Amino acid sequence: MVIAEVGQDAVTTPQEVRSRIVELISEGRRSVSVMVAEPDGALSIISLVLE
């Protein structure tokens, strides 16, 4: 699996994922949607609670 988007913004590296999550926490967000791409191309949306 590969994380493709965090909070509807495309990400391509683990550093971008972390930076986006830190940004959302600093904005006061309590949860975020993450789009995950499977090896076969299927996409899934996962909701994460931010603490």
Side-chain angles (χ1 to χ4, degrees), residues 2-50:
V2 175
I3 297 174
E5 292 183 2
V6 175
Q8 298 182 338
D9 287 336
V11 292
T12 57
T13 67
Q15 293 80 11
E16 288 179 345
V17 172
R18 179 176 164 72
S19 294
R20 183 66 179 130
I21 290 172
V22 168
E23 179 182 350
L24 292 169
I25 291 170
S26 70
E27 292 174 2
R29 296 281 300 269
R30 297 180 66 189
S31 64
V32 64
S33 296
V34 176
M35 181 182 289
V36 179
E38 301 280 344
D40 65 1
L43 299 173
S44 299
I45 303 290
I46 301 169
S47 293
L48 300 177
V49 176
L50 304 175

